[in-house]
Amino acid sequence: MIYFADLHIHSKYSRATSKECNLVDLAKWAAYKGIFVLGTGDFTHPEWSRNIREMLEDAEDGLLRLKPEHVPRVETFPRGFGPGDVRFLLNVEISSIYKKAGATRKVHNLIFMPDIQTMEEFNTRLDRIGNIKSDGRPILGLDSRDLLEIALDVTPESFLIPAHIWTPWFSLLGSRSGFDTVQECFADLSDYIFAMETGLSSDPEMNHRVSFLDRYTLISNSDTHSPWNLGREACIFAGDPGYQVIRDAIRDGGRDVTTVEGADSPLSSIQLESLTPENGPLSMRGPKHADMAGRSRIGNRFVGTIEFFPEEGKYHYDGHRNCRMRLDPEETNQLGGICPVCGKPVTVGVMNRVMALGDKPLGRVPDGAAPFWRMIPLAEIVSQALGVGPQSKKVKGLHMELMSKLGPELMILWALPLEEIARHAPAIVVEGVSRVREGKLHIHAGFDGEYGKVELFTPEERDRFEGQQSLVPLGGGPRKKPKKSASFARSTGKKQAPAARESVESRTVKLNEDQVRAVSECDRPVLVKAGPGTGKTGTLTHRVASLVNQGKAQPDQVTAVTFTRKAAGEMRERLESMVSGENASKCWVGTFHQLGTRIIDHFRREGTFESRETILQEDEALTLFREALKSAGLKVHPSRAASLLNRVSLLKQSLVEPNDTIQDEDVAAAYQAYEKGLQEAGAFDLDDLLMVPVRLLRQDDSMTQQIRETWTRHLLVDELQDVNRAQYEMVRFLADRAGKGLFAIGDPDQAIYSFRGADREFFLRFREDYPSIQEIFLSRNYRSLGTILRASESVLDASSETRGLEAQRSGDNPVRVVRLPNAATEGMFITRTIDSMLGGSTFFSFDSGRVTGPDDKLGFGDFAVLYRLNAVGDMLEDAFQASGIPYQRARKKSPKDEAESLDPRVQAVTLMTIHASKGLEFPVVFVAGCEDGVIPHIPMGESEPSPEELEEERRLLYVAMTRAGNDLFLTRASKRTLHGRNLTPNPSRFLEAIDRNVCHFLDPLSGRRKPRVDQPVQGELF
């Protein structure tokens, strides 16, 4: 049998699709069109996958069909083909948007799965790393190569076909977001790619100009968002249908897989003889049709494709839709790629891009290339014949009448003799089919998102047919052929923008003078004040490397301590490239808790301390705490236990012993009961890893001196402003009494962790404890534009220690201060702004006019949305779920470890608390909820924070603002619901202090004016 397949469609769960894109209506329209195999599309969407499981049943190998109870009662066509005969093949289109090789890539790929079980496993894998719930075509910040790897890991029978490979915005070879070769995209997995989808704006003839595509089978599908557009492009197969057969037929590109007896088909009138010039369309291409004619035994094979006329596709030519400029490649080249109306780069279309990568002449047919037939949908032919719109009742009526009398649409267009069509169709429609088959039509080529305009008839010709004049050959000028001209190609030498969370030091070629001083001073204690973006971690790492490489210290005498496992790991990784041989691994780098464990183990090995075997994590400690309270007969409500344990934790961090005087009797009793429980369990909690080492060091001077002379002769401390008393005392005991070899670095203006015992005063006390200190200020900021630095510094109070940072990057992007009506519109503004700055994450972004072009220096991972309260984060997450933009939300209980919960493989917008963001950097940052009560945070029931709390809240906003490199948005809502209360908060009091000379104040949803994000309106803040 010979059958049509449309393997790229969308469900009603994709954006901008018809509500009729459900399984029943899709099957019905597939029957109207004559499509035997239909891709399901969208199977990653939870609701669509549920529909697939509930409404479809197994048919042939790997194919599905409607269950009998869901087959619609539709009058079957004379050819005996109905909705119940349609088969479904599991697939989905996935949009991968990610940064690679210095540019943001936006590639759409089709993934095919052989059965529902593997589909569900694949969905589970993707659900862990991205948002697959909001759009039938999910957007993932996942490399196309990694997407393919996941699919193959789920099952080697899966396969991936790059979708509409030439589309400018979202494709493998697109002019604005793609690659120049398949290998650049899929790297070591390139051999698993065996087919390409040409898309509506190109056809095989165009693709044959690019010789590296010869090895791939060229397929075509409708990519439809409405059932009536099914089959506008389609694949043709011969043989017995099945998942494996279709996959192998596409892979082999028309070569026989097996030879079987030809079976009758619902399209039984389509025989191989239809492929001959005598009985079939005259616009075929390729050598295969001749030797297929007349064969009685056919193999399972890929026969060819039904194609759009590529000029009709909406990205065929170059141009600017808003400027009404349509340009062929030669005109674009003459203009240097610049629109003469607006002066911006034009959208380079498919023809131009094909010419840029092409190395063969037009008209070349590679050996073994499958034939193809250009067609126009029957409804469009009828519309042209009648001179009315394709959605008019007149056109729809005649369209349905012809299919009911003549059979499925594709059979009418592809195989039915004109004399048979003439028995039921008006003469002008028959002439229209004839002209399409012969290519005798004129098309005003599509460009920049606008479909091309087809002209089959002039008004005079239409009038003559309506007057019942005899049918005579009417010519109708030949369609315009593309000019052979030079091409304006996309530049591939664009500079890569800093990636999200990329360290400052990786962009700093050499140390500046202040950093050199900090690295080389070794004869006395050194205190480095390092403002945000000044290269703190790099300076610390260079100091360790310098000590070892210059022989100033043995590597095992160097101890560097920081706060998170991630920071310690990054520092160790850098040292491996800076210190030769095994010396890098001999330097000890770790967290304070790891250092405490090392001290405890040292005392245990020396026989002076009997350690406990078990270390409890936070959740385990809370369980033991509750059990200890119960055993001691202390009645505490379960909801209060965590808060009570936190108070005990703060006491331990402050080195308060269980039997010391504690004013709050409830806390004292709980502390004692908890300590007893820990002893009985033979366990330490995380606070014990700080408190116990200090106790041991204090009690044994000789052992402490031994440690100083061995592995802490050079002690380096990161983030000094974040230490609590236990950590500070640990440093004091481990360092040389005079401070020789002691190095500390940090920024007191970023001290934001008092709620967990950190005290900014320890940074200031450091000067008193070490009078011979060498103090160095790192003032050069390599992260942020000067406008961001000026705005953020104006938030600080007079006690600032690091005011006066010098921006090393040029640029004057204003800080945007944005007022929104409520929290819902705040989330919408943020997601739409991200979409705009990315140059659109969907076709709808362009077609709706929301964006006009991409910024290929930005990817999803370059954006962060920061918030003070998780309640604000919950509302923002709702907006991201609805938008389809991929995001990751950090969800650790400990703010210092929160960022470590993010998956580094995935490129996604980061949502996190401000506390968790310290130490990170992003090109674009949104700080949401800039309102009194949120920033600064005023807990419910309190009227005003204390002066100390207020100053820390001020520093918290400063930290948030200085995470931004290029663009900073401060958003606030005029109305917000928090913890069930409807609020009308005032703007954050800190906004009043911001330097207005570097800000733009926006009210984008006000009734007075609606500025675009890229055209902010200067206005009043309040």
Short mmCIF file of all heavy atoms in Angstrom, two decimals, residues 959-1003:
data_model
loop_
_atom_site.label_atom_id
_atom_site.label_comp_id
_atom_site.label_asym_id
_atom_site.label_seq_id
_atom_site.Cartn_x
_atom_site.Cartn_y
_atom_site.Cartn_z
N VAL A 959 22.90 43.60 47.85
CA VAL A 959 23.39 42.32 47.32
C VAL A 959 22.59 41.93 46.09
O VAL A 959 23.15 41.51 45.07
CB VAL A 959 23.31 41.22 48.40
CG1 VAL A 959 23.49 39.83 47.78
CG2 VAL A 959 24.36 41.44 49.47
N ALA A 960 21.28 42.06 46.17
CA ALA A 960 20.44 41.68 45.04
C ALA A 960 20.78 42.51 43.80
O ALA A 960 20.91 41.97 42.69
CB ALA A 960 18.97 41.85 45.40
N MET A 961 20.91 43.80 43.96
CA MET A 961 21.16 44.68 42.83
C MET A 961 22.52 44.42 42.19
O MET A 961 22.68 44.50 40.97
CB MET A 961 21.04 46.14 43.27
CG MET A 961 19.64 46.53 43.72
SD MET A 961 19.55 48.17 44.48
CE MET A 961 19.86 49.23 43.07
N THR A 962 23.50 44.09 43.01
CA THR A 962 24.85 43.90 42.48
C THR A 962 25.07 42.52 41.90
O THR A 962 26.19 42.19 41.50
CB THR A 962 25.90 44.18 43.57
OG1 THR A 962 25.61 43.40 44.73
CG2 THR A 962 25.91 45.65 43.93
N ARG A 963 24.03 41.69 41.83
CA ARG A 963 24.16 40.43 41.09
C ARG A 963 24.10 40.70 39.59
O ARG A 963 24.47 39.85 38.79
CB ARG A 963 23.02 39.46 41.44
CG ARG A 963 22.90 39.00 42.89
CD ARG A 963 24.17 38.51 43.49
NE ARG A 963 24.85 39.60 44.17
CZ ARG A 963 26.14 39.61 44.49
NH1 ARG A 963 26.92 38.60 44.14
NH2 ARG A 963 26.68 40.64 45.14
N ALA A 964 23.59 41.87 39.20
CA ALA A 964 23.34 42.17 37.78
C ALA A 964 24.58 42.68 37.09
O ALA A 964 25.33 43.50 37.64
CB ALA A 964 22.21 43.20 37.67
N GLY A 965 24.76 42.22 35.85
CA GLY A 965 25.87 42.71 35.05
C GLY A 965 25.46 43.78 34.07
O GLY A 965 26.05 44.86 34.02
N ASN A 966 24.43 43.50 33.25
CA ASN A 966 24.05 44.42 32.18
C ASN A 966 22.74 45.15 32.43
O ASN A 966 22.62 46.33 32.14
CB ASN A 966 23.91 43.64 30.86
CG ASN A 966 25.18 42.95 30.45
OD1 ASN A 966 26.26 43.34 30.85
ND2 ASN A 966 25.05 41.91 29.66
N ASP A 967 21.75 44.44 32.94
CA ASP A 967 20.41 45.01 33.09
C ASP A 967 19.85 44.65 34.46
O ASP A 967 19.94 43.50 34.91
CB ASP A 967 19.47 44.50 32.00
CG ASP A 967 19.85 45.01 30.63
OD1 ASP A 967 19.47 46.15 30.30
OD2 ASP A 967 20.52 44.27 29.89
N LEU A 968 19.23 45.65 35.09
CA LEU A 968 18.63 45.47 36.41
C LEU A 968 17.23 46.05 36.40
O LEU A 968 17.02 47.20 36.00
CB LEU A 968 19.49 46.16 37.49
CG LEU A 968 18.92 46.20 38.90
CD1 LEU A 968 18.74 44.79 39.47
CD2 LEU A 968 19.82 47.04 39.82
N PHE A 969 16.26 45.23 36.84
CA PHE A 969 14.87 45.65 36.97
C PHE A 969 14.46 45.53 38.43
O PHE A 969 14.65 44.47 39.04
CB PHE A 969 13.95 44.77 36.12
CG PHE A 969 14.17 44.87 34.64
CD1 PHE A 969 15.18 44.15 34.02
CD2 PHE A 969 13.35 45.67 33.85
CE1 PHE A 969 15.39 44.23 32.66
CE2 PHE A 969 13.55 45.75 32.47
CZ PHE A 969 14.57 45.04 31.88
N LEU A 970 13.89 46.59 38.98
CA LEU A 970 13.33 46.57 40.32
C LEU A 970 11.83 46.70 40.18
O LEU A 970 11.33 47.74 39.73
CB LEU A 970 13.90 47.71 41.17
CG LEU A 970 15.42 47.81 41.25
CD1 LEU A 970 15.84 49.06 42.03
CD2 LEU A 970 16.01 46.56 41.91
N THR A 971 11.08 45.65 40.51
CA THR A 971 9.64 45.68 40.29
C THR A 971 8.89 45.69 41.61
O THR A 971 9.35 45.14 42.61
CB THR A 971 9.19 44.45 39.47
OG1 THR A 971 9.40 43.25 40.23
CG2 THR A 971 9.95 44.37 38.16
N ARG A 972 7.74 46.32 41.59
CA ARG A 972 6.88 46.33 42.77
C ARG A 972 5.43 46.27 42.33
O ARG A 972 5.07 46.68 41.22
CB ARG A 972 7.12 47.58 43.62
CG ARG A 972 6.59 48.88 43.00
CD ARG A 972 6.73 50.02 43.99
NE ARG A 972 6.15 51.27 43.51
CZ ARG A 972 4.89 51.64 43.68
NH1 ARG A 972 4.05 50.81 44.30
NH2 ARG A 972 4.45 52.80 43.24
N ALA A 973 4.59 45.76 43.20
CA ALA A 973 3.16 45.64 42.93
C ALA A 973 2.40 46.60 43.84
O ALA A 973 2.71 46.72 45.02
CB ALA A 973 2.70 44.21 43.17
N SER A 974 1.42 47.27 43.26
CA SER A 974 0.59 48.18 44.06
C SER A 974 -0.36 47.42 44.97
O SER A 974 -0.82 47.95 45.99
CB SER A 974 -0.22 49.10 43.14
OG SER A 974 0.65 49.90 42.36
N LYS A 975 -0.68 46.17 44.60
CA LYS A 975 -1.49 45.31 45.44
C LYS A 975 -0.85 43.93 45.48
O LYS A 975 -0.33 43.45 44.49
CB LYS A 975 -2.92 45.20 44.90
CG LYS A 975 -3.71 46.50 44.92
CD LYS A 975 -5.12 46.30 44.38
CE LYS A 975 -5.90 47.62 44.40
NZ LYS A 975 -7.27 47.44 43.85
N ARG A 976 -0.90 43.31 46.64
CA ARG A 976 -0.30 41.98 46.79
C ARG A 976 -1.03 41.22 47.89
O ARG A 976 -1.44 41.81 48.89
CB ARG A 976 1.19 42.10 47.13
CG ARG A 976 1.91 40.75 47.14
CD ARG A 976 3.38 40.92 47.47
NE ARG A 976 4.10 41.72 46.50
CZ ARG A 976 4.59 41.24 45.37
NH1 ARG A 976 4.39 39.98 45.05
NH2 ARG A 976 5.25 42.03 44.55
N THR A 977 -1.17 39.93 47.70
CA THR A 977 -1.74 39.07 48.72
C THR A 977 -0.62 38.23 49.33
O THR A 977 0.06 37.49 48.61
CB THR A 977 -2.82 38.15 48.14
OG1 THR A 977 -3.86 38.94 47.57
CG2 THR A 977 -3.42 37.26 49.22
N LEU A 978 -0.41 38.39 50.63
CA LEU A 978 0.62 37.64 51.34
C LEU A 978 -0.01 36.96 52.56
O LEU A 978 -0.67 37.61 53.37
CB LEU A 978 1.75 38.55 51.81
CG LEU A 978 2.77 39.00 50.76
CD1 LEU A 978 3.79 39.93 51.40
CD2 LEU A 978 3.47 37.81 50.14
N HIS A 979 0.22 35.65 52.63
CA HIS A 979 -0.26 34.87 53.78
C HIS A 979 -1.76 35.11 54.02
O HIS A 979 -2.22 35.24 55.15
CB HIS A 979 0.54 35.22 55.03
CG HIS A 979 2.02 35.14 54.84
ND1 HIS A 979 2.66 33.98 54.47
CD2 HIS A 979 2.99 36.10 54.93
CE1 HIS A 979 3.97 34.20 54.36
NE2 HIS A 979 4.19 35.48 54.63
N GLY A 980 -2.51 35.18 52.91
CA GLY A 980 -3.95 35.34 53.01
C GLY A 980 -4.44 36.75 53.25
O GLY A 980 -5.65 36.98 53.36
N ARG A 981 -3.55 37.71 53.31
CA ARG A 981 -3.94 39.10 53.56
C ARG A 981 -3.78 39.92 52.28
O ARG A 981 -2.76 39.85 51.60
CB ARG A 981 -3.06 39.71 54.67
CG ARG A 981 -3.19 39.01 56.02
CD ARG A 981 -2.16 39.56 57.00
NE ARG A 981 -2.33 41.00 57.20
CZ ARG A 981 -1.39 41.78 57.74
NH1 ARG A 981 -0.22 41.27 58.09
NH2 ARG A 981 -1.63 43.07 57.91
N ASN A 982 -4.81 40.70 51.96
CA ASN A 982 -4.75 41.60 50.81
C ASN A 982 -4.11 42.91 51.23
O ASN A 982 -4.60 43.60 52.13
CB ASN A 982 -6.17 41.86 50.28
CG ASN A 982 -6.80 40.60 49.72
OD1 ASN A 982 -6.12 39.77 49.12
ND2 ASN A 982 -8.09 40.44 49.93
N LEU A 983 -3.00 43.26 50.60
CA LEU A 983 -2.21 44.41 50.99
C LEU A 983 -2.14 45.43 49.86
O LEU A 983 -2.21 45.07 48.68
CB LEU A 983 -0.78 43.98 51.38
CG LEU A 983 -0.66 42.87 52.43
CD1 LEU A 983 0.79 42.46 52.58
CD2 LEU A 983 -1.22 43.33 53.77
N THR A 984 -1.99 46.68 50.22
CA THR A 984 -1.70 47.76 49.27
C THR A 984 -0.42 48.44 49.74
O THR A 984 -0.45 49.55 50.28
CB THR A 984 -2.87 48.77 49.20
OG1 THR A 984 -3.15 49.24 50.53
CG2 THR A 984 -4.10 48.13 48.61
N PRO A 985 0.71 47.80 49.54
CA PRO A 985 1.96 48.28 50.14
C PRO A 985 2.50 49.54 49.48
O PRO A 985 2.26 49.80 48.30
CB PRO A 985 2.91 47.10 49.92
CG PRO A 985 2.40 46.44 48.69
CD PRO A 985 0.91 46.58 48.74
N ASN A 986 3.25 50.30 50.27
CA ASN A 986 3.98 51.44 49.74
C ASN A 986 5.24 50.93 49.04
O ASN A 986 5.71 49.82 49.31
CB ASN A 986 4.37 52.39 50.87
CG ASN A 986 3.18 53.09 51.47
OD1 ASN A 986 2.26 53.48 50.76
ND2 ASN A 986 3.17 53.23 52.79
N PRO A 987 5.81 51.74 48.15
CA PRO A 987 7.10 51.35 47.57
C PRO A 987 8.14 51.17 48.69
O PRO A 987 8.06 51.80 49.73
CB PRO A 987 7.47 52.53 46.68
CG PRO A 987 6.20 53.26 46.46
CD PRO A 987 5.37 53.05 47.67
N SER A 988 9.09 50.33 48.46
CA SER A 988 10.17 50.15 49.43
C SER A 988 10.81 51.49 49.74
O SER A 988 11.12 52.27 48.84
CB SER A 988 11.22 49.19 48.88
OG SER A 988 12.37 49.18 49.70
N ARG A 989 11.01 51.73 51.02
CA ARG A 989 11.63 53.01 51.42
C ARG A 989 13.03 53.15 50.85
O ARG A 989 13.55 54.25 50.71
CB ARG A 989 11.67 53.09 52.95
CG ARG A 989 12.58 52.07 53.62
CD ARG A 989 12.36 51.99 55.11
NE ARG A 989 11.08 51.35 55.42
CZ ARG A 989 10.61 51.22 56.66
NH1 ARG A 989 11.31 51.69 57.69
NH2 ARG A 989 9.46 50.62 56.88
N PHE A 990 13.67 52.02 50.51
CA PHE A 990 15.02 52.08 49.96
C PHE A 990 15.04 52.66 48.55
O PHE A 990 16.07 53.19 48.11
CB PHE A 990 15.66 50.69 49.95
CG PHE A 990 15.76 50.04 51.30
CD1 PHE A 990 15.58 48.68 51.45
CD2 PHE A 990 16.01 50.81 52.44
CE1 PHE A 990 15.68 48.08 52.68
CE2 PHE A 990 16.09 50.21 53.69
CZ PHE A 990 15.92 48.84 53.81
N LEU A 991 13.92 52.58 47.85
CA LEU A 991 13.88 53.12 46.49
C LEU A 991 14.03 54.63 46.48
O LEU A 991 14.49 55.22 45.50
CB LEU A 991 12.56 52.74 45.81
CG LEU A 991 12.33 51.24 45.56
CD1 LEU A 991 11.00 51.03 44.84
CD2 LEU A 991 13.46 50.62 44.75
N GLU A 992 13.64 55.26 47.59
CA GLU A 992 13.75 56.72 47.65
C GLU A 992 15.19 57.19 47.58
O GLU A 992 15.48 58.29 47.13
CB GLU A 992 13.12 57.23 48.95
CG GLU A 992 11.62 56.95 49.07
CD GLU A 992 11.06 57.43 50.38
OE1 GLU A 992 11.86 57.90 51.24
OE2 GLU A 992 9.84 57.34 50.58
N ALA A 993 16.13 56.32 48.02
CA ALA A 993 17.54 56.72 48.06
C ALA A 993 18.26 56.49 46.74
O ALA A 993 19.38 56.95 46.55
CB ALA A 993 18.25 55.95 49.17
N ILE A 994 17.63 55.77 45.81
CA ILE A 994 18.32 55.41 44.57
C ILE A 994 18.57 56.66 43.72
O ILE A 994 17.71 57.53 43.58
CB ILE A 994 17.49 54.39 43.78
CG1 ILE A 994 17.48 53.05 44.53
CG2 ILE A 994 18.05 54.18 42.38
CD1 ILE A 994 16.72 51.97 43.82
N ASP A 995 19.75 56.72 43.16
CA ASP A 995 20.14 57.82 42.28
C ASP A 995 19.25 57.82 41.05
O ASP A 995 19.33 56.94 40.18
CB ASP A 995 21.61 57.64 41.88
CG ASP A 995 22.15 58.82 41.10
OD1 ASP A 995 21.34 59.61 40.57
OD2 ASP A 995 23.38 58.95 41.02
N ARG A 996 18.38 58.82 40.95
CA ARG A 996 17.40 58.87 39.85
C ARG A 996 18.06 59.14 38.50
O ARG A 996 17.46 58.89 37.45
CB ARG A 996 16.37 59.97 40.13
CG ARG A 996 15.43 59.61 41.28
CD ARG A 996 14.52 60.78 41.62
NE ARG A 996 13.51 60.35 42.58
CZ ARG A 996 12.20 60.28 42.31
NH1 ARG A 996 11.77 60.62 41.12
NH2 ARG A 996 11.35 59.87 43.22
N ASN A 997 19.27 59.64 38.51
CA ASN A 997 19.94 59.97 37.24
C ASN A 997 20.31 58.72 36.45
O ASN A 997 20.64 58.82 35.25
CB ASN A 997 21.19 60.79 37.52
CG ASN A 997 20.86 62.16 38.08
OD1 ASN A 997 19.93 62.81 37.61
ND2 ASN A 997 21.60 62.59 39.08
N VAL A 998 20.30 57.57 37.08
CA VAL A 998 20.67 56.34 36.37
C VAL A 998 19.47 55.40 36.23
O VAL A 998 19.65 54.22 35.91
CB VAL A 998 21.82 55.61 37.09
CG1 VAL A 998 23.08 56.46 37.04
CG2 VAL A 998 21.46 55.27 38.53
N CYS A 999 18.27 55.91 36.48
CA CYS A 999 17.07 55.07 36.46
C CYS A 999 16.06 55.53 35.41
O CYS A 999 16.02 56.70 35.05
CB CYS A 999 16.38 55.08 37.84
SG CYS A 999 17.37 54.36 39.16
N HIS A 1000 15.28 54.57 34.96
CA HIS A 1000 14.06 54.85 34.21
C HIS A 1000 12.90 54.30 35.04
O HIS A 1000 12.96 53.16 35.50
CB HIS A 1000 14.06 54.18 32.84
CG HIS A 1000 14.71 54.99 31.78
ND1 HIS A 1000 15.07 54.48 30.56
CD2 HIS A 1000 15.07 56.31 31.73
CE1 HIS A 1000 15.62 55.43 29.81
NE2 HIS A 1000 15.63 56.54 30.51
N PHE A 1001 11.87 55.10 35.22
CA PHE A 1001 10.72 54.69 36.00
C PHE A 1001 9.59 54.35 35.05
O PHE A 1001 9.17 55.18 34.25
CB PHE A 1001 10.32 55.78 36.99
CG PHE A 1001 11.43 56.12 37.94
CD1 PHE A 1001 12.28 57.18 37.69
CD2 PHE A 1001 11.63 55.36 39.08
CE1 PHE A 1001 13.32 57.49 38.56
CE2 PHE A 1001 12.67 55.66 39.94
CZ PHE A 1001 13.52 56.73 39.68
N LEU A 1002 9.10 53.13 35.11
CA LEU A 1002 8.10 52.64 34.18
C LEU A 1002 6.81 52.28 34.90
O LEU A 1002 6.84 51.76 36.02
CB LEU A 1002 8.60 51.39 33.44
CG LEU A 1002 9.68 51.57 32.37
CD1 LEU A 1002 11.05 51.66 32.99
CD2 LEU A 1002 9.64 50.40 31.41
N ASP A 1003 5.72 52.56 34.22
CA ASP A 1003 4.40 52.11 34.65
C ASP A 1003 3.74 51.54 33.40
O ASP A 1003 2.83 52.13 32.83
CB ASP A 1003 3.61 53.29 35.22
CG ASP A 1003 2.38 52.83 35.98
OD1 ASP A 1003 2.06 51.62 35.90
OD2 ASP A 1003 1.74 53.66 36.64
#
